[in-house]
Amino acid sequence: MRSFLFVATLLCSIKLFAQPNASEFESFLEKATQDFNVPGTYVMVVDNGKVVMRSGYGKKSKAQPEAPNEETLFAIASLSKSFTVAAIAVLVEEGKLAWDDPVKKHLPEFKLHDPYVTENITVEDLLCHRSGLITFDGDLLWYGTDYSREEVVKRIAERPLSCGFREQFGYQNIMFITAGQVVEAISGMTWDEFVKVKFLEPLEMNRTTTDFERFSMDRNMAMPHIDGEEIFTMSYENSGATAALNSCASDMQKWTSFWLNNGIHNGDTLLSKRSIDRIMTIHTPLPTGNFDNTNGTNFKGYGLGWFLMDYQGDKIVHHGGGLPGYITKVALCPKDDVAVIVLTNDMSSLPTMTMYAALDWLKGRDYEKWSETFLAYKKAGEKRKSDRESARLNEKEEDPVVFESSEYVGQYEDEMFGLAEVFIDQAALNLRLLPSKELFSGRLTPWSKHAFRFDHNDPFLTYGVISFTVEKDEIKGFTIDLPNQDFHFDKLDFKVVAK
């Protein structure tokens, strides 16, 4: 009887986890790529070390209209964070630092706006988003600027903390850049070199690189797009340990296998299970919302370089990556030895939708519902964006009263961000944010009293409205209204330094 029950249970298990129809799932993803208006997508699903589904859809670029393949390079953005955490873990295992070491022990020059936090923030704090800086705070320091990684870390000291130290989650790219500087200070190698020596070379991830020239000149790379339109490539090398890596699905398969195999590759332990367990444990809790509660998620949080949640009874370890023109996603289910890899060359929720759909597909659950759900979110988001734009345009005045253009000319400075200049070119007023002048340079046209519309070169962001502060008919500075979810222009406060 016991033997019979064992066999019956085994057969039920086999039936439950038997692979559903891969071709149907591929057709679903092909349609989803079109429905979400994504130019190019590549998806790979791995189950128990075996690739059970891999397929590319759409196109890589205008010049290469064929679909991406498993060797096609994408900017993987914040998927770089897991490499940084692994690098720190290696140094811990080598006895060269401890997770709870104060950052200043290894970077004596490191400073945040709050002296107490400066002295007490640890290496582990850098990696789980609890510094007191809010999400994306200070990211304008590296986005499109000519600042080095060292300068970015130095300048964040000018930004006041928005919440208490270790009080709440604030997704912090600059703290990860700082962690990369810790790796360099201890190892004597750049973060890039360390990651290459410790992981990329042993795992034979030969396509993965932080070299922008190598990436942008590769014959098999997916060009970035915004709303289906191809845009220019841009270097993010100064983002370093937070977002600088570029990779492909075949390499990311090796990376996910490394994590699912407890850090062991070809019999060599590159990272211990003890370290991986620490990394994949919640350090900063996150609240659940209606979406989570409706869809089988009871807890969420951030570990070290990875988001963590439960989904339909399984622990899911995941992370996304986003840069203008690219959104990526990797998800792991350690219990079932499952990995989902999604790479796209536009901005959409398709990668997250695909993660949920793939996890359900593997378990024989309904996965088609996810497209409808996320398309509804997409439609609602587009309406909100349109409504905001309409409301903003209503603020424009027909005949704003302003000074002569020459009155606004001068050099201005924000303490954290740096210098900007207002100048006249071809009889028109222009603004240039000097650290990121390739992106944020353009013409100023009258908007309202002492305010101007700022049209710049960045295809990702909308136009800005520059409002000059005037006291007793004297210009004192300006602020920038450029609404978006990623960069805090509203926190910049430029003061006149030269007229």
Side-chain angles (χ1 to χ4, degrees):
M1 185 64 180
R2 289 179 181 176
S3 298
F4 172 78
L5 290 174
F6 173 78
V7 172
T9 302
L10 180 62
L11 289 173
C12 288
S13 175
I14 291 172
K15 183 177 180 180
L16 178 63
F17 293 103
Q19 284 308 321
N21 191 303
S23 62
E24 290 181 0
F25 189 56
E26 289 171 1
S27 296
F28 165 79
L29 293 175
E30 182 175 21
K31 185 176 186 302
T33 296
Q34 297 169 356
D35 290 343
F36 283 81
N37 192 33
V38 173
T41 303
Y42 194 86
V43 179
M44 181 180 288
V45 181
V46 185
D47 187 6
N48 285 304
K50 178 183 177 183
V51 177
V52 295
M53 181 268 166
R54 70 178 97 198
S55 193
Y57 311 94
K59 64 180 181 179
K60 291 184 279 190
S61 65
K62 289 180 181 178
Q64 298 186 76
E66 64 271 20
N69 57 47
E70 65 181 37
E71 299 295 317
T72 301
L73 289 177
F74 294 76
I76 63 169
S78 285
L79 300 186
S80 305
K81 290 179 170 65
S82 62
F83 292 82
T84 301
V85 168
I88 291 289
V90 166
L91 292 172
V92 171
E93 292 182 3
E94 292 177 349
K96 296 177 180 177
L97 67 79
W99 293 107
D100 59 359
D101 277 353
V103 176
K104 282 186 71 67
K105 178 178 178 179
H106 305 287
L107 297 178
E109 69 283 5
F110 176 74
K111 183 180 179 183
L112 289 174
H113 198 270
D114 186 306
Y116 176 83
V117 181
T118 297
E119 294 299 322
N120 289 278
I121 190 169
T122 67
V123 172
E124 188 167 84
D125 290 324
L126 298 177
L127 305 173
C128 56
H129 305 301
R130 59 189 186 195
S131 65
L133 289 160
I134 62 172
T135 294
F136 301 146
D137 218 347
D139 278 0
L140 281 169
L141 288 170
W142 59 264
Y143 178 61
T145 72
D146 55 13
Y147 287 141
S148 66
R149 299 169 187 177
E150 293 83 0
E151 186 70 13
V152 168
V153 172
K154 177 182 177 181
R155 285 181 170 271
I156 195 60
E158 300 299 330
R159 176 56 55 84
L161 305 186
S162 298
C163 54
F165 179 42
R166 297 176 184 154
E167 181 179 277
Q168 67 183 53
F169 178 86
Y171 189 85
Q172 248 307 303
N173 287 308
I174 294 180
M175 294 301 95
F176 265 82
I177 297 175
T178 304
Q181 298 308 107
V182 170
V183 171
E184 180 172 339
I186 294 174
S187 69
M189 293 186 279
T190 65
W191 168 82
D192 318 62
E193 293 168 340
F194 191 86
V195 166
K196 182 179 181 180
V197 169
K198 296 294 185 179
F199 299 109
L200 302 185
E201 290 179 346
L203 294 171
E204 300 181 84
M205 296 175 67
N206 301 320
R207 297 276 291 152
T208 304
T209 180
T210 59
D211 185 329
F212 172 69
E213 184 175 0
R214 177 183 161 191
F215 168 61
S216 62
M217 298 299 289
D218 195 284
R219 293 184 179 182
N220 188 7
M221 64 90 70
M223 285 291 291
H225 293 71
I226 300 291
D227 294 329
E229 296 295 321
E230 189 170 304
I231 64 171
F232 54 81
T233 55
M234 199 166 85
S235 172
Y236 298 102
E237 287 186 42
N238 68 341
S239 72
T242 201
L245 281 166
N246 312 288
S247 191
C248 62
S250 61
D251 274 10
M252 292 307 292
Q253 179 197 358
K254 298 170 185 174
W255 184 237
T256 56
S257 295
F258 154 79
W259 288 99
L260 291 171
N261 200 34
N262 291 320
I264 300 172
H265 176 71
N266 288 339
D268 293 331
T269 301
L270 305 182
L271 198 62
S272 71
K273 184 179 184 301
R274 180 180 180 182
S275 291
I276 291 176
D277 287 344
R278 184 175 189 132
I279 289 167
M280 293 184 176
T281 297
I282 287 180
H283 291 70
T284 308
L286 288 168
T288 56
N290 289 336
F291 174 88
D292 305 303
N293 298 332
T294 302
N295 293 299
T297 292
N298 301 291
F299 75 83
K300 294 195 305 186
Y302 201 85
L304 301 175
W306 290 98
F307 285 96
L308 304 163
M309 67 178 187
D310 69 320
Y311 176 63
Q312 302 293 346
D314 292 326
K315 177 180 178 180
I316 305 299
V317 183
H318 67 103
H319 213 289
L323 286 169
Y326 297 101
I327 298 288
T328 58
K329 188 79 174 182
V330 163
L332 311 175
C333 180
K335 178 174 71 72
D336 293 334
D337 195 16
V338 161
V340 179
I341 300 160
V342 189
L343 308 175
T344 72
N345 62 345
D346 206 331
M347 317 291 291
S348 80
S349 58
L350 177 64
T352 299
M353 187 284 292
T354 302
M355 175 189 75
Y356 283 105
L359 292 172
D360 280 346
W361 172 68
L362 285 172
K363 291 294 184 75
R365 298 188 291 252
D366 175 24
Y367 61 83
E368 296 187 65
K369 64 180 181 181
W370 289 113
S371 182
E372 182 179 347
T373 298
F374 277 82
L375 282 171
Y377 294 152
K378 178 178 183 289
K379 184 177 180 180
E382 289 171 347
K383 185 179 186 304
R384 287 193 298 271
K385 181 179 178 181
S386 177
D387 290 345
R388 284 195 302 266
E389 181 58 21
S390 296
R392 198 172 185 218
L393 287 171
N394 288 335
E395 297 172 359
K396 187 180 184 303
E397 298 178 5
E398 285 295 323
D399 297 302
V401 179
V402 295
F403 291 165
E404 293 293 325
S405 293
S406 59
E407 293 294 319
Y408 299 97
V409 170
Q411 193 171 71
Y412 301 76
E413 185 175 20
D414 174 80
E415 287 185 347
M416 183 198 78
F417 181 75
L419 294 170
E421 59 182 9
V422 178
F423 60 99
I424 295 176
D425 180 46
Q426 298 181 353
L429 205 59
N430 285 259
L431 170 64
R432 180 184 294 138
L433 305 184
L434 293 179
S436 51
K437 57 183 178 292
E438 298 300 323
L439 273 188
F440 298 113
S441 294
R443 182 164 295 188
L444 298 178
T445 53
W447 182 266
S448 62
K449 188 175 182 180
H450 300 306
F452 297 80
R453 173 170 169 156
F454 176 41
D455 290 292
H456 47 77
N457 303 323
D458 186 359
F460 174 55
L461 300 173
T462 185
Y463 61 89
V465 174
I466 309 303
S467 298
F468 288 89
T469 305
V470 179
E471 297 178 7
K472 297 180 180 179
D473 290 334
E474 184 178 355
I475 295 172
K476 298 294 185 179
F478 70 83
T479 57
I480 303 176
D481 173 25
L482 204 166
N484 68 94
Q485 297 180 342
D486 299 277
F487 302 105
H488 301 317
F489 286 90
D490 59 309
K491 288 192 172 186
L492 302 180
D493 187 11
F494 289 90
K495 305 295 186 184
V496 171
V497 293
K499 293 290 286 182

